[in-house]
Amino acid sequence: MLCQKCNKNEATGIIKQTINGKTTEMHLCAQCMQQMGFLNMGNLAESLDIGKIFGGLFNMMPSAQITAANVRKCKMCGATLHDFVKEGKAGCPACYEEFAQGVLPVIQRIHGNVQHKGKIPRSAGGEISKKRELKELKLQLTKAISEQEFEKAAQLRDRIREIEKENGAES
């Protein structure tokens, strides 16, 4: 996408502005962002080594676990778990799957969960909300059965089937 100000360079950033509840977006190139004063913060990205900051969080891993996985390399980028821990970031998206056993416990400790529990984007809200509701209903069903609340369990079962049928029709 071209810069919306100069219409010459490739846009590398998005500036969002909310005035009186109305949000506007501008896709700008680095030069136009600098001219408008958005990049005059002393080059914040260069002054902060984000990799080292996040890398410190991964130092909570047991060292035996790190050294045992150092031998294994990501099939896509060749990074090791040691590289992941040292830099605080993955070499590529496949690293998250390759090193899941080493990284997920740390993420669990830091965030309390390995799945995002925050806000849902409006564009994907319906699908994610239904998945969350389905998961919660299945947990309630298991609990109702274990507590021998069979009427409640039947209602939950019917609701689960209804949601799964809706999801099947959408697919």
Side-chain angles (χ1 to χ4, degrees):
M1 169 179 252
L2 288 178
C3 173
Q4 291 178 319
K5 185 172 183 215
C6 68
N7 290 318
K8 294 178 185 174
N9 301 320
E10 189 70 25
T12 57
I14 300 173
I15 304 299
K16 288 187 178 185
Q17 198 173 30
T18 304
I19 300 172
N20 295 330
K22 184 179 178 193
T23 303
T24 57
E25 280 186 9
M26 283 185 65
H27 297 261
L28 302 171
C29 65
Q31 291 85 1
C32 290
M33 286 174 55
Q34 192 160 15
Q35 287 173 357
M36 294 175 75
F38 291 109
L39 293 180
N40 292 336
M41 295 186 286
N43 228 348
L44 186 62
E46 287 179 15
S47 64
L48 291 176
D49 189 347
I50 301 298
K52 287 184 181 172
I53 292 169
F54 287 118
L57 296 174
F58 289 104
N59 287 335
M60 291 185 255
M61 291 178 153
S63 58
Q65 187 178 10
I66 295 170
T67 55
N70 279 345
V71 179
R72 199 170 73 229
K73 292 186 175 190
C74 175
K75 292 169 184 69
M76 285 188 70
C77 69
T80 64
L81 179 59
H82 178 72
D83 297 334
F84 197 155
V85 170
K86 185 175 146 196
E87 296 296 320
K89 54 188 173 187
C92 72
C95 287
Y96 290 100
E97 291 178 26
E98 186 69 35
F99 306 121
Q101 286 183 331
V103 175
L104 289 180
V106 175
I107 293 172
Q108 174 79 33
R109 244 181 300 169
I110 294 167
H111 295 288
N113 204 327
V114 293
Q115 286 189 321
H116 180 67
K117 296 279 185 182
K119 294 182 179 179
I120 301 171
R122 288 183 186 149
S123 60
E127 182 182 333
I128 294 172
S129 293
K130 284 191 179 188
K131 283 183 181 179
R132 284 187 182 174
E133 181 184 3
L134 195 58
K135 186 176 180 179
E136 181 62 32
L137 287 171
K138 286 181 179 181
L139 287 172
Q140 289 177 18
L141 176 63
T142 303
K143 184 180 176 189
I145 291 170
S146 69
E147 294 176 358
Q148 297 185 359
E149 296 177 358
F150 299 115
E151 288 180 31
K152 183 178 179 182
Q155 291 172 347
L156 291 166
R157 179 205 59 210
D158 293 342
R159 179 67 183 135
I160 290 169
R161 285 182 181 164
E162 184 181 311
I163 293 172
E164 287 176 339
K165 189 183 284 187
E166 289 172 9
N167 287 347
E170 292 174 5
S171 298

